[in-house]
């Protein structure tokens, strides 16, 4: 005796199968949209766990990439400022002071050059006080406050006179570390620098501006009292600034003073040229940092590509396969609807559509 198949049984079985087709079509569509083989971790726990690890690695790597790119903009700005400073320093040395020393008009001509020197002196300070966003670029770790201030020919950096060599040495050594994937590590407890960042494990973004323009003073021979053209024991010396901004002002003072002290002028000029050469050397400091960031960015971008490939292998699905699956699921669903038209009434099929 055969089993009796009722209309209700037929309708129920067809409805269940149609729902499965709808579910399969939805899963196939999600595969196309997300590029993943599965939507829920229970479908493939091992692959899902590996995928979560790779997602965290990729997010951390992207943070490093963004930090490096911001660092490149920061370093580029520092380089631009150094270039401006170098331009002004060369103008003081080659155009203004050299011309003033040989100007045939005497006091009047030297006074005009002195005025230009003071303007260039102010320009040096303005360049050093340049901002990147809301932060002073050349301020070391104190980026919220104006780093340099020039009053009555005396220059201060972070509120301290640049002639104070000991104080400036501490400020010149300021660091501002950021994590860009070097394995940020701190000195262990019990060590001399406990709690501080190990420099090789991070990137130093700081550029204390005092490094560029010099600080402290030096004893310099000024007067050849022996008249022998060499620096001897009895020759006069003076304590001169190592800072090119203060030197520019002092050079202007000597040019305006009568009687004209050519020996002092020459001593200040030579001291300024030493500071200018030091400024040129700072380009190497910034250039090294820029090269390090460029190499780091390439490494991080390669790492990002590797992570994405591993992620694709763990949880991804080939786009062509995903599209094929969706097409097949859509075909199955459409076929199921057509078959239902010969089995069920229009009302149910209208509802399904």
């Amino acid at each position: 005796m055969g089993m009796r198949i009722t209309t209700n049984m037929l309708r129920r079985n067809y409805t269940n199968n149609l729902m499965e087709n709808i579910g399969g079509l939805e899963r196939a569509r999600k595969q196309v949209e997300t590029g993943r083989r599965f939507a829920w971790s229970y479908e493939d726990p091992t692959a899902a766990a590996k995928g979560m690890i790779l997602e965290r690695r990729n997010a951390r790597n992207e943070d490093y990439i963004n930090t490096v790119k911001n660092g490149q903009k920061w370093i580029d700005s520092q380089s631009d400022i150094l270039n401006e400073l170098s331009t002004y320093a060369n103008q003081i040395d080659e155009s203004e002071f050299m011309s003033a020393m040989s100007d045939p008009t005497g006091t009047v001509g030297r006074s005009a050059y002195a005025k230009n020197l003071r303007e260039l002196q102010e320009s040096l300070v303005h360049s050093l006080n340049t901002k990147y966003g809301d932060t002073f670029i050349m301020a070391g770790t104190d980026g919220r406050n104006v780093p340099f201030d020039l009053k009555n020919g005396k220059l201060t950096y972070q509120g301290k006179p640049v002639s104070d060599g000991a104080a400036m040495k501490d400020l010149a050594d300021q660091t501002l570390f950021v994590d860009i994937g070097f394995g940020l590590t701190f000195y262990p407890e019990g060590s001399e620098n406990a709690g501080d960042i190990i420099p090789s494990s991070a990137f130093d973004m700081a550029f204390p501006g005092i490094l560029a323009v010099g600080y402290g003073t030096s004893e310099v021979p000024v007067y050849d009292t022996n008249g022998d053209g060499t620096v001897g024991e009895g020759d006069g010396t003076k304590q001169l600034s190592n800072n090119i901004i203060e030197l520019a002002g002092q050079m202007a003072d000597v040019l305006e003073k009568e009687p004209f002290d050519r020996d002092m002028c020459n001593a200040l000029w030579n001291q300024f040229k030493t500071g200018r050469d030091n400024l040129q050397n700072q380009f190497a400091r910034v250039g090294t940092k820029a090269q390090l960031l460029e190499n780091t960015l390439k490494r991080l971008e390669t790492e990002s590509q590797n992570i994405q490939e591993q992620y694709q292998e763990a949880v991804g699905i080939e786009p062509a396969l995903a599209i094929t699956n969706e097409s097949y699921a859509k075909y199955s669903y459409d076929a199921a609807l057509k078959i239902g038209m010969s089995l069920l009434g229009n009302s149910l099929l209208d509802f399904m559509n």
Side-chain angles (χ1 to χ4, degrees), residues 320-341:
L321 179 58
I323 293 172
T324 299
N325 290 344
E326 183 188 25
S327 298
Y328 180 77
K330 182 67 168 60
Y331 172 80
S332 299
Y333 175 69
D334 291 341
L337 288 179
K338 291 180 180 179
I339 292 173
M341 293 179 64

Side-chain angles (χ1 to χ4, degrees), residues 35-284:
R36 294 169 57 101
R37 290 197 313 275
F38 51 85
W40 305 100
S41 58
Y42 63 78
E43 298 177 55
D44 191 340
T46 301
K50 186 175 181 180
M52 289 178 63
I53 294 172
L54 290 169
E55 285 174 355
R56 286 196 294 269
R57 281 182 56 193
N58 189 61
R60 184 169 60 250
N61 198 68
E62 287 299 319
D63 286 340
Y64 292 149
I65 288 175
N66 290 333
T67 301
V68 168
K69 289 182 176 179
N70 288 332
Q72 286 180 316
K73 295 176 183 177
W74 181 262
I75 296 299
D76 287 345
S77 297
Q78 292 176 348
S79 181
D80 290 342
I81 291 173
L82 287 176
N83 191 55
E84 285 184 8
L85 295 174
S86 181
T87 299
Y88 292 138
N90 287 334
Q91 186 174 348
I92 289 172
D93 176 35
E94 299 171 4
S95 300
E96 301 300 327
F97 201 70
M98 185 181 296
S99 299
M101 291 287 285
S102 58
D103 189 277
T105 60
T107 304
V108 175
R110 289 195 295 269
S111 295
Y113 283 111
K115 181 179 180 182
N116 292 340
L117 284 175
R118 297 192 195 284
E119 291 177 354
L120 288 168
Q121 184 187 33
E122 292 287 347
S123 296
L124 287 167
V125 175
H126 291 324
S127 294
L128 286 165
N129 288 338
T130 300
K131 278 186 172 183
Y132 179 85
D134 294 330
T135 306
F136 291 97
I137 302 173
M138 309 296 275
T141 58
D142 187 16
R144 296 299 177 186
N145 297 306
V146 179
F148 289 90
D149 186 28
L150 180 66
K151 288 183 179 178
N152 301 321
K154 299 296 182 181
L155 185 69
T156 59
Y157 176 64
Q158 295 191 18
K160 298 178 180 180
V162 298
S163 58
D164 187 344
M168 291 299 105
K169 179 63 171 64
D170 291 337
L171 295 178
D173 290 338
Q174 287 182 332
T175 55
L176 183 63
F177 290 113
V178 294
D179 185 9
I180 58 173
F182 292 165
L184 184 66
T185 309
F186 295 85
Y187 286 105
E189 293 294 333
S191 65
E192 182 180 355
N193 300 314
D196 292 341
I197 295 174
I198 297 176
S200 60
S201 69
F203 178 76
D204 182 14
M205 296 272 285
F207 190 108
I210 197 63
L211 284 173
V213 292
Y215 58 88
T217 61
S218 297
E219 188 174 10
V220 177
V222 177
Y223 303 108
D224 183 11
T225 55
N226 296 326
D228 58 2
T230 63
V231 178
E233 184 177 347
D235 291 338
T237 62
K238 280 190 174 295
Q239 204 74 20
L240 299 184
S241 176
N242 295 327
N243 181 272
I244 61 173
I245 296 176
E246 285 198 341
L247 285 170
Q250 292 167 7
M251 289 156 68
D253 291 340
V254 174
L255 288 176
E256 292 174 332
K257 189 176 180 180
E258 291 294 340
F260 178 53
D261 190 340
R262 184 171 293 274
D263 289 332
M264 177 58 77
C265 253
N266 283 323
L268 289 168
W269 189 12
N270 290 331
Q271 188 77 341
F272 182 88
K273 286 189 286 188
T274 300
R276 184 202 59 181
D277 292 342
N278 175 68
L279 171 59
Q280 296 291 341
N281 293 336
Q282 295 304 317
F283 278 101

